[in-house]
Protein backbone atom coordinates (compact mmCIF):
# COMPACT_ATOMS: atom_id res chain seq x y z
CA UNK A 1 0.00 0.00 0.00
CA UNK A 2 2.86 2.36 0.66
CA UNK A 3 3.98 2.26 -2.98
CA UNK A 4 0.45 2.85 -4.32
CA UNK A 5 -0.06 5.68 -1.87
CA UNK A 6 3.18 7.28 -2.96
CA UNK A 7 2.22 6.99 -6.64
CA UNK A 8 -1.24 8.36 -5.96
CA UNK A 9 0.19 11.30 -4.05
CA UNK A 10 2.63 11.97 -6.90
CA UNK A 11 -0.19 11.93 -9.46
CA UNK A 12 -2.35 14.25 -7.35
CA UNK A 13 0.55 16.61 -6.87
CA UNK A 14 1.41 16.81 -10.60
CA UNK A 15 -2.05 16.24 -12.13
CA UNK A 16 -2.07 19.66 -13.79
CA UNK A 17 1.23 18.92 -15.48
CA UNK A 18 -0.07 15.54 -16.63
CA UNK A 19 -3.31 17.11 -17.94
CA UNK A 20 -1.38 19.82 -19.79
CA UNK A 21 1.10 17.34 -21.23
CA UNK A 22 -1.67 14.95 -22.28
CA UNK A 23 -3.67 17.74 -23.88
CA UNK A 24 -0.58 18.98 -25.71
CA UNK A 25 0.28 15.51 -26.97
CA UNK A 26 -3.32 14.82 -28.05
CA UNK A 27 -3.59 18.23 -29.74
CA UNK A 28 -0.29 17.70 -31.49
CA UNK A 29 -1.40 14.26 -32.68
CA UNK A 30 -4.68 15.52 -34.12
CA UNK A 31 -2.94 18.58 -35.61
CA UNK A 32 -0.38 16.35 -37.29
CA UNK A 33 -3.12 13.99 -38.48
CA UNK A 34 -5.11 16.95 -39.86
CA UNK A 35 -2.01 18.35 -41.57
CA UNK A 36 -1.23 14.91 -42.99
CA UNK A 37 -4.76 14.55 -44.35
CA UNK A 38 -4.55 18.02 -45.89
CA UNK A 39 -1.17 17.21 -47.40
CA UNK A 40 -2.47 13.92 -48.80
CA UNK A 41 -5.51 15.71 -50.24
CA UNK A 42 -3.27 18.40 -51.75
CA UNK A 43 -0.96 15.80 -53.26
CA UNK A 44 -3.92 13.90 -54.68
CA UNK A 45 -5.30 17.14 -56.08
CA UNK A 46 -1.94 18.01 -57.62
CA UNK A 47 -1.59 14.53 -59.09
CA UNK A 48 -5.11 14.70 -60.50
CA UNK A 49 -4.41 18.15 -61.96
CA UNK A 50 -1.11 16.95 -63.44
CA UNK A 51 -2.83 13.90 -64.91
CA UNK A 52 -5.65 16.05 -66.34
CA UNK A 53 -3.08 18.46 -67.81
CA UNK A 54 -1.13 15.61 -69.36
CA UNK A 55 -4.31 14.04 -70.70
CA UNK A 56 -5.46 17.38 -72.13
CA UNK A 57 -2.03 17.95 -73.70
CA UNK A 58 -2.11 14.49 -75.28
CA UNK A 59 -5.58 15.15 -76.69
CA UNK A 60 -4.43 18.56 -77.95
CA UNK A 61 -1.38 17.05 -79.67
CA UNK A 62 -3.62 14.46 -81.31
CA UNK A 63 -5.95 17.24 -82.42
CA UNK A 64 -3.04 19.12 -84.03
CA UNK A 65 -2.14 16.04 -86.04
CA UNK A 66 -5.73 16.00 -87.26
CA UNK A 67 -5.32 19.68 -88.18
CA UNK A 68 -2.21 18.86 -90.21
CA UNK A 69 -3.93 16.04 -92.09
CA UNK A 70 -6.95 18.23 -92.82
CA UNK A 71 -4.79 21.12 -94.03
CA UNK A 72 -2.75 18.79 -96.26
CA UNK A 73 -5.96 17.47 -97.83
CA UNK A 74 -7.26 20.96 -98.66
CA UNK A 75 -4.09 22.73 -99.83
CA UNK A 76 -4.01 21.03 -103.27
CA UNK A 77 -7.61 22.14 -103.88
CA UNK A 78 -6.65 25.67 -102.87
CA UNK A 79 -3.67 25.58 -105.23
CA UNK A 80 -5.86 24.41 -108.11
CA UNK A 81 -8.29 27.26 -107.47
CA UNK A 82 -5.48 29.81 -107.58
CA UNK A 83 -3.84 28.29 -110.66
CA UNK A 84 -7.16 28.18 -112.50
CA UNK A 85 -7.89 31.80 -111.64
CA UNK A 86 -4.30 32.90 -112.43
CA UNK A 87 -3.18 30.65 -115.29
CA UNK A 88 0.47 31.60 -115.83
CA UNK A 89 1.12 28.35 -117.68
CA UNK A 90 -1.21 29.40 -120.49
CA UNK A 91 0.84 32.57 -120.99
CA UNK A 92 4.18 30.72 -120.92
CA UNK A 93 2.89 28.31 -123.57
CA UNK A 94 1.96 31.27 -125.74
CA UNK A 95 5.46 32.69 -125.35
CA UNK A 96 6.97 29.43 -126.54
CA UNK A 97 5.26 29.94 -129.90
CA UNK A 98 7.16 33.25 -130.35
CA UNK A 99 4.07 35.41 -130.97
CA UNK A 100 4.26 38.93 -132.39
CA UNK A 101 2.73 40.40 -129.21
CA UNK A 102 5.21 38.76 -126.86
CA UNK A 103 5.93 42.03 -125.04
CA UNK A 104 2.26 42.31 -124.12
CA UNK A 105 2.15 38.66 -123.00
CA UNK A 106 5.31 39.17 -120.91
CA UNK A 107 3.65 42.16 -119.27
CA UNK A 108 0.57 40.06 -118.43
CA UNK A 109 2.77 37.26 -117.13
CA UNK A 110 4.68 39.72 -114.95
CA UNK A 111 1.47 40.85 -113.23
CA UNK A 112 0.02 37.36 -112.97
CA UNK A 113 3.22 35.87 -111.52
CA UNK A 114 3.31 38.41 -108.70
CA UNK A 115 -0.44 38.07 -108.10
CA UNK A 116 -0.31 34.27 -107.94
CA UNK A 117 2.63 34.26 -105.54
CA UNK A 118 0.95 36.72 -103.20
CA UNK A 119 -2.35 34.85 -103.42
CA UNK A 120 -0.71 31.53 -102.52
CA UNK A 121 0.93 33.01 -99.42
CA UNK A 122 -2.11 34.91 -98.16
CA UNK A 123 -4.56 32.10 -98.86
CA UNK A 124 -2.49 29.35 -97.20
CA UNK A 125 -2.04 31.50 -94.08
CA UNK A 126 -5.79 32.20 -93.89
CA UNK A 127 -6.67 28.55 -94.53
CA UNK A 128 -4.21 27.16 -91.98
CA UNK A 129 -5.17 29.56 -89.19
CA UNK A 130 -8.94 29.41 -89.75
CA UNK A 131 -8.94 25.61 -89.86
CA UNK A 132 -6.90 25.47 -86.66
CA UNK A 133 -9.43 27.76 -84.99
CA UNK A 134 -12.32 25.54 -86.08
CA UNK A 135 -10.69 22.22 -85.22
CA UNK A 136 -9.48 23.40 -81.82
CA UNK A 137 -12.96 24.68 -80.97
CA UNK A 138 -14.36 21.26 -81.83
CA UNK A 139 -11.51 19.47 -80.04
CA UNK A 140 -11.98 21.55 -76.90
CA UNK A 141 -15.74 20.93 -76.89
CA UNK A 142 -15.27 17.18 -77.26
CA UNK A 143 -12.69 17.08 -74.46
CA UNK A 144 -14.99 19.14 -72.21
CA UNK A 145 -17.84 16.72 -72.92
CA UNK A 146 -15.61 13.79 -71.99
CA UNK A 147 -14.59 15.46 -68.73
CA UNK A 148 -18.14 16.45 -67.75
CA UNK A 149 -20.07 13.44 -69.00
CA UNK A 150 -17.26 10.85 -69.19
CA UNK A 151 -18.31 10.20 -72.78
CA UNK A 152 -16.50 11.49 -75.86
CA UNK A 153 -18.66 9.54 -78.33
CA UNK A 154 -20.80 11.94 -80.39
CA UNK A 155 -24.31 11.04 -81.47
CA UNK A 156 -25.26 10.92 -85.14
CA UNK A 157 -26.88 14.36 -84.89
CA UNK A 158 -23.81 15.84 -83.18
CA UNK A 159 -21.55 14.40 -85.88
CA UNK A 160 -23.78 16.04 -88.49
CA UNK A 161 -23.44 19.40 -86.72
CA UNK A 162 -19.66 19.01 -86.54
CA UNK A 163 -19.46 18.11 -90.23
CA UNK A 164 -21.61 21.06 -91.31
CA UNK A 165 -19.56 23.38 -89.11
CA UNK A 166 -16.24 22.26 -90.58
CA UNK A 167 -17.65 22.59 -94.10
CA UNK A 168 -18.03 26.32 -93.46
CA UNK A 169 -14.44 26.72 -94.71
CA UNK A 170 -15.85 25.97 -98.17
CA UNK A 171 -16.91 29.60 -98.48
CA UNK A 172 -13.29 30.69 -98.40
CA UNK A 173 -12.17 27.84 -100.64
CA UNK A 174 -14.83 28.47 -103.29
CA UNK A 175 -15.51 32.21 -103.10
CA UNK A 176 -13.21 34.00 -100.67
CA UNK A 177 -9.97 33.00 -102.38
CA UNK A 178 -11.25 34.31 -105.74
CA UNK A 179 -12.16 37.67 -104.17
CA UNK A 180 -8.75 37.71 -102.52
CA UNK A 181 -7.08 37.14 -105.90
CA UNK A 182 -8.97 40.12 -107.33
CA UNK A 183 -7.84 42.37 -104.48
CA UNK A 184 -4.24 41.23 -104.86
CA UNK A 185 -4.33 41.71 -108.63
CA UNK A 186 -5.42 45.34 -108.28
CA UNK A 187 -2.69 45.99 -105.69
CA UNK A 188 -0.03 44.33 -107.88
CA UNK A 189 -1.07 46.33 -110.94
CA UNK A 190 -0.77 49.53 -108.98
CA UNK A 191 2.88 48.85 -108.11
CA UNK A 192 4.22 46.56 -110.84
CA UNK A 193 2.48 47.63 -114.05
CA UNK A 194 4.88 50.46 -114.84
CA UNK A 195 8.06 48.58 -113.95
CA UNK A 196 9.97 47.63 -117.10
CA UNK A 197 10.95 44.00 -117.61
CA UNK A 198 14.51 45.24 -118.17
CA UNK A 199 14.67 47.21 -114.92
CA UNK A 200 17.22 45.73 -112.53
CA UNK A 201 16.13 44.88 -109.02
CA UNK A 202 18.27 44.07 -106.01
CA UNK A 203 17.06 41.96 -103.12
CA UNK A 204 16.47 45.13 -101.14
CA UNK A 205 14.50 46.83 -103.90
CA UNK A 206 12.46 43.65 -104.42
CA UNK A 207 11.64 43.55 -100.72
CA UNK A 208 10.57 47.21 -100.84
CA UNK A 209 8.33 46.43 -103.82
CA UNK A 210 6.77 43.49 -101.97
CA UNK A 211 6.21 45.67 -98.90
CA UNK A 212 4.42 48.33 -100.98
CA UNK A 213 2.12 45.72 -102.49
CA UNK A 214 1.41 44.30 -99.05
CA UNK A 215 0.48 47.72 -97.69
CA UNK A 216 -2.11 48.09 -100.45
CA UNK A 217 -3.51 44.63 -99.79
CA UNK A 218 -3.60 44.83 -96.01
CA UNK A 219 -4.87 48.35 -95.50
CA UNK A 220 -8.15 48.38 -93.60
CA UNK A 221 -11.31 49.59 -95.32
CA UNK A 222 -13.14 52.39 -93.55
CA UNK A 223 -15.84 50.05 -92.26
CA UNK A 224 -13.42 47.39 -90.98
CA UNK A 225 -11.73 47.92 -87.63
CA UNK A 226 -9.80 44.73 -86.99
CA UNK A 227 -8.86 42.54 -89.95
CA UNK A 228 -8.98 43.24 -93.68
CA UNK A 229 -9.44 39.54 -94.49
CA UNK A 230 -12.69 38.86 -92.63
CA UNK A 231 -14.82 39.43 -95.75
CA UNK A 232 -12.92 36.65 -97.57
CA UNK A 233 -13.32 34.14 -94.73
CA UNK A 234 -16.99 34.66 -94.04
CA UNK A 235 -19.94 35.87 -96.01
CA UNK A 236 -21.56 37.86 -93.23
CA UNK A 237 -22.35 37.79 -89.51
CA UNK A 238 -22.61 35.25 -87.96
CA UNK A 239 -19.73 33.20 -89.30
CA UNK A 240 -20.48 31.80 -92.72
CA UNK A 241 -24.20 31.55 -93.24
CA UNK A 242 -23.14 29.67 -96.38
CA UNK A 243 -22.85 26.40 -94.46
CA UNK A 244 -26.08 26.74 -92.48
CA UNK A 245 -28.13 27.65 -95.57
CA UNK A 246 -27.02 24.50 -97.31
CA UNK A 247 -27.86 22.30 -94.35
CA UNK A 248 -31.04 23.99 -93.08
CA UNK A 249 -33.25 21.39 -94.78
CA UNK A 250 -31.37 18.39 -93.42
CA UNK A 251 -30.99 19.36 -89.75
CA UNK A 252 -33.53 19.98 -87.02
CA UNK A 253 -34.00 22.97 -84.74
CA UNK A 254 -31.69 21.78 -81.97
CA UNK A 255 -28.95 20.98 -84.45
CA UNK A 256 -29.34 24.36 -86.11
CA UNK A 257 -29.07 26.05 -82.71
CA UNK A 258 -25.83 24.19 -81.92
CA UNK A 259 -24.48 24.99 -85.38
CA UNK A 260 -25.31 28.67 -84.91
CA UNK A 261 -23.48 28.65 -81.56
CA UNK A 262 -20.37 27.24 -83.19
CA UNK A 263 -20.60 29.75 -86.04
CA UNK A 264 -20.94 32.69 -83.66
CA UNK A 265 -18.08 31.53 -81.44
CA UNK A 266 -15.85 31.22 -84.50
CA UNK A 267 -16.87 34.58 -85.89
CA UNK A 268 -16.01 36.25 -82.58
CA UNK A 269 -12.55 34.67 -82.69
CA UNK A 270 -11.66 35.39 -86.32
CA UNK A 271 -12.84 38.99 -86.02
CA UNK A 272 -10.63 39.57 -82.96
CA UNK A 273 -7.37 41.46 -82.80
CA UNK A 274 -5.59 38.31 -81.56
CA UNK A 275 -6.54 36.44 -84.73
CA UNK A 276 -5.33 39.34 -86.86
CA UNK A 277 -2.03 39.48 -84.96
CA UNK A 278 -1.35 35.76 -85.40
CA UNK A 279 -2.39 35.88 -89.07
CA UNK A 280 -0.08 38.84 -89.63
CA UNK A 281 2.80 36.92 -88.04
CA UNK A 282 2.14 33.98 -90.35
CA UNK A 283 1.99 36.22 -93.42
CA UNK A 284 5.27 37.86 -92.40
CA UNK A 285 6.84 34.43 -92.17
CA UNK A 286 5.42 33.53 -95.57
CA UNK A 287 7.06 36.49 -97.27
CA UNK A 288 10.31 35.87 -95.42
CA UNK A 289 10.24 32.37 -96.87
CA UNK A 290 9.54 33.79 -100.34
CA UNK A 291 12.48 36.19 -100.14
CA UNK A 292 14.75 33.37 -98.96
CA UNK A 293 13.63 31.28 -101.93
CA UNK A 294 14.09 34.13 -104.42
CA UNK A 295 17.49 35.03 -102.93
CA UNK A 296 18.85 31.79 -104.41
CA UNK A 297 18.22 33.29 -107.84
CA UNK A 298 20.19 36.38 -106.85
CA UNK A 299 22.97 34.19 -105.45
CA UNK A 300 23.42 32.53 -108.83
CA UNK A 301 23.96 35.99 -110.35
CA UNK A 302 26.52 37.11 -107.75
CA UNK A 303 29.82 37.99 -109.49
CA UNK A 304 33.00 36.24 -108.39
CA UNK A 305 35.17 38.70 -106.46
CA UNK A 306 38.92 38.17 -105.99
CA UNK A 307 39.86 37.60 -102.36
CA UNK A 308 42.10 40.71 -102.37
CA UNK A 309 39.14 42.91 -103.31
CA UNK A 310 36.47 41.12 -101.26
CA UNK A 311 36.46 43.53 -98.28
CA UNK A 312 36.40 46.61 -100.49
CA UNK A 313 33.71 45.18 -102.74
CA UNK A 314 31.48 44.24 -99.82
CA UNK A 315 31.56 47.81 -98.51
CA UNK A 316 31.20 49.59 -101.84
CA UNK A 317 28.73 47.31 -103.61
CA UNK A 318 26.08 46.51 -101.01
CA UNK A 319 23.38 46.73 -103.70
CA UNK A 320 24.84 43.77 -105.63
CA UNK A 321 23.69 41.44 -106.98
CA UNK A 322 20.84 42.68 -109.14
CA UNK A 323 18.69 41.08 -111.82
CA UNK A 324 16.31 42.39 -114.47
CA UNK A 325 12.68 41.88 -113.53
CA UNK A 326 12.22 39.43 -116.41
CA UNK A 327 14.69 37.03 -114.74
CA UNK A 328 12.61 37.03 -111.55
CA UNK A 329 9.34 36.09 -113.23
CA UNK A 330 10.05 32.30 -113.62
CA UNK A 331 10.75 31.73 -109.89
CA UNK A 332 7.64 33.75 -109.04
CA UNK A 333 5.59 31.62 -111.43
CA UNK A 334 6.87 28.41 -109.84
CA UNK A 335 6.57 29.56 -106.23
CA UNK A 336 2.96 28.35 -105.99
CA UNK A 337 4.30 24.78 -106.07
CA UNK A 338 6.74 25.52 -103.24
CA UNK A 339 3.92 26.96 -101.14
CA UNK A 340 1.03 24.66 -102.11
CA UNK A 341 1.80 21.04 -102.85
CA UNK A 342 0.21 17.60 -102.66
CA UNK A 343 2.61 16.82 -99.82
CA UNK A 344 3.64 18.86 -96.79
CA UNK A 345 6.12 21.44 -98.05
CA UNK A 346 8.88 23.01 -96.00
CA UNK A 347 6.94 26.27 -96.05
CA UNK A 348 3.71 24.67 -94.86
CA UNK A 349 5.51 22.74 -92.12
CA UNK A 350 7.14 25.96 -90.88
CA UNK A 351 3.79 27.75 -91.00
CA UNK A 352 2.07 25.10 -88.90
CA UNK A 353 4.99 24.94 -86.44
CA UNK A 354 5.16 28.68 -85.73
CA UNK A 355 5.24 29.21 -81.96
CA UNK A 356 2.76 32.10 -82.06
CA UNK A 357 0.27 29.96 -84.03
CA UNK A 358 0.70 26.95 -81.73
CA UNK A 359 0.25 29.07 -78.61
CA UNK A 360 -2.87 30.66 -80.08
CA UNK A 361 -4.30 27.26 -81.02
CA UNK A 362 -3.69 25.95 -77.50
CA UNK A 363 -5.36 28.99 -75.91
CA UNK A 364 -8.48 28.41 -78.04
CA UNK A 365 -8.46 24.70 -77.25
CA UNK A 366 -7.97 25.31 -73.54
CA UNK A 367 -10.70 27.94 -73.34
CA UNK A 368 -13.25 25.50 -74.78
CA UNK A 369 -11.96 22.67 -72.59
CA UNK A 370 -12.53 24.76 -69.48
CA UNK A 371 -15.68 26.60 -70.56
CA UNK A 372 -18.85 25.59 -68.74
CA UNK A 373 -20.81 26.21 -71.95
CA UNK A 374 -18.47 24.21 -74.17
CA UNK A 375 -20.51 21.03 -73.92
CA UNK A 376 -23.69 22.75 -75.05
CA UNK A 377 -21.86 24.38 -77.95
CA UNK A 378 -21.62 21.18 -79.95
CA UNK A 379 -23.92 18.74 -78.17
CA UNK A 380 -27.69 18.41 -78.20
CA UNK A 381 -27.94 18.49 -74.37
Amino acid sequence: MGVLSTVWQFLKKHKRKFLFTGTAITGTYFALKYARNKLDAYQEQQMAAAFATAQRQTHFDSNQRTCLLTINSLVPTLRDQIMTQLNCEHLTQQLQTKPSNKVHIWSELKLMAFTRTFASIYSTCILVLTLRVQLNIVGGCIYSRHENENDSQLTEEECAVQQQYLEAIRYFMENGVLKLCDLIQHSVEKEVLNISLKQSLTKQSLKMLIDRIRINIEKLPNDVKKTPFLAFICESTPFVHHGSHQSSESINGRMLFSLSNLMQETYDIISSEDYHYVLQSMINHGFDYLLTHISRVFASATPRIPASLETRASSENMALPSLPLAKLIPPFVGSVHNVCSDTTTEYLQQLISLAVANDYAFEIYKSFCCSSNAVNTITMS
Side-chain angles (χ1 to χ4, degrees):
M1 292 295 294
V3 174
L4 292 176
S5 176
T6 302
V7 172
W8 176 250
Q9 291 297 324
F10 177 80
L11 292 174
K12 285 179 64 177
K13 182 179 180 181
H14 298 283
K15 66 179 179 178
R16 291 185 178 180
K17 294 180 181 179
F18 282 112
L19 289 173
F20 176 79
T21 302
T23 302
I25 292 174
T26 303
T28 301
Y29 170 77
F30 282 108
L32 290 173
K33 186 175 181 180
Y34 176 79
R36 181 63 184 178
N37 289 338
K38 283 291 185 181
L39 180 61
D40 289 343
Y42 175 77
Q43 289 177 337
E44 289 177 4
Q45 185 180 11
Q46 290 296 103
M47 289 178 64
F51 177 76
T53 300
Q55 189 177 36
R56 186 174 62 190
Q57 184 65 48
T58 300
H59 187 262
F60 172 76
D61 292 339
S62 175
N63 197 51
Q64 301 323 292
R65 289 191 289 273
T66 302
C67 288
L68 178 60
L69 292 174
T70 306
I71 290 166
N72 285 338
S73 68
L74 292 179
V75 164
T77 304
L78 183 69
R79 179 200 60 208
D80 293 343
Q81 277 279 69
I82 295 171
M83 292 183 67
T84 300
Q85 180 76 359
L86 302 164
N87 193 347
C88 295
E89 287 69 25
H90 176 67
L91 295 178
T92 56
Q93 288 174 3
Q94 288 185 23
L95 287 172
Q96 290 173 0
T97 64
K98 298 180 180 180
S100 58
N101 61 339
K102 66 178 182 180
V103 175
H104 174 72
I105 296 176
W106 266 106
S107 181
E108 286 188 5
L109 182 60
K110 171 186 67 176
L111 297 175
M112 196 173 291
F114 272 85
T115 301
R116 192 163 82 171
T117 298
F118 275 69
S120 62
I121 291 175
Y122 278 106
S123 60
T124 49
C125 290
I126 292 172
L127 175 67
V128 168
L129 185 56
T130 305
L131 270 177
R132 294 192 75 175
V133 168
Q134 287 185 270
L135 288 169
N136 279 290
I137 288 175
V138 171
C141 290
I142 293 175
Y143 182 84
S144 179
R145 173 196 174 103
H146 175 71
E147 287 295 292
N148 287 277
E149 301 179 8
N150 199 28
D151 179 19
S152 58
Q153 190 68 34
L154 297 179
T155 65
E156 185 176 345
E157 287 186 345
E158 291 163 353
C159 288
V161 169
Q162 178 180 325
Q163 181 179 353
Q164 290 296 333
Y165 167 64
L166 294 176
E167 284 184 359
I169 196 66
R170 287 172 56 189
Y171 176 78
F172 172 70
M173 297 284 293
E174 296 174 0
N175 302 287
V177 68
L178 302 182
K179 295 179 181 179
L180 179 62
C181 288
D182 290 339
L183 172 66
I184 293 172
Q185 187 170 7
H186 287 117
S187 300
V188 167
E189 287 177 357
K190 185 176 180 181
E191 297 294 337
V192 180
L193 183 61
N194 295 323
I195 299 178
S196 169
L197 291 166
K198 297 180 180 180
Q199 180 173 330
S200 292
L201 295 176
T202 64
K203 285 188 286 186
Q204 184 61 31
S205 60
L206 178 62
K207 184 180 185 305
M208 292 173 64
L209 175 61
I210 290 173
D211 289 343
R212 290 199 302 272
I213 297 172
R214 287 188 60 187
I215 289 172
N216 289 325
I217 295 170
E218 297 170 21
K219 65 183 179 182
L220 293 171
N222 294 331
D223 59 338
V224 177
K225 296 181 179 180
K226 294 175 182 177
T227 173
F229 303 108
L230 188 59
F232 306 122
I233 305 171
C234 26
E235 192 173 8
S236 57
T237 309
F239 176 64
V240 197
H241 286 301
H242 179 72
S244 59
H245 284 323
Q246 280 194 324
S247 59
S248 59
E249 297 179 356
S250 60
I251 63 177
N252 59 40
R254 287 189 307 166
M255 294 168 67
L256 187 59
F257 177 75
S258 295
L259 181 61
S260 297
N261 283 343
L262 285 169
M263 298 293 194
Q264 188 60 57
E265 292 280 6
T266 308
Y267 181 83
D268 291 342
I269 290 174
I270 66 175
S271 60
S272 68
E273 293 180 0
D274 288 340
Y275 177 93
H276 178 57
Y277 172 79
V278 176
L279 180 60
Q280 198 68 45
S281 299
M282 294 172 69
I283 292 170
N284 290 340
H285 179 81
F287 282 101
D288 288 343
Y289 178 86
L290 171 66
L291 287 169
T292 300
H293 173 68
I294 298 297
S295 67
R296 298 168 188 167
V297 182
F298 283 98
S300 64
T302 304
R304 294 184 177 274
I305 302 173
S308 59
L309 301 176
E310 189 171 317
T311 304
R312 181 180 175 184
S314 63
S315 61
E316 294 180 358
N317 298 302
M318 293 299 291
L320 293 178
S322 64
L323 288 172
L325 179 57
K327 290 285 187 180
L328 296 174
I329 292 177
F332 268 88
V333 170
S335 63
V336 67
H337 299 288
N338 293 318
V339 173
C340 308
S341 178
D342 293 334
T343 58
T344 304
T345 61
E346 179 187 8
Y347 160 76
L348 200 58
Q349 188 63 53
Q350 291 176 6
L351 205 63
I352 295 170
S353 303
L354 278 180
V356 65
N358 280 332
D359 292 344
Y360 185 62
F362 184 71
E363 286 302 316
I364 293 172
Y365 175 85
K366 185 171 66 173
S367 67
F368 281 87
C369 284
C370 302
S371 173
S372 58
N373 296 323
V375 176
N376 295 329
T377 302
I378 195 171
T379 65
M380 302 294 109
S381 55

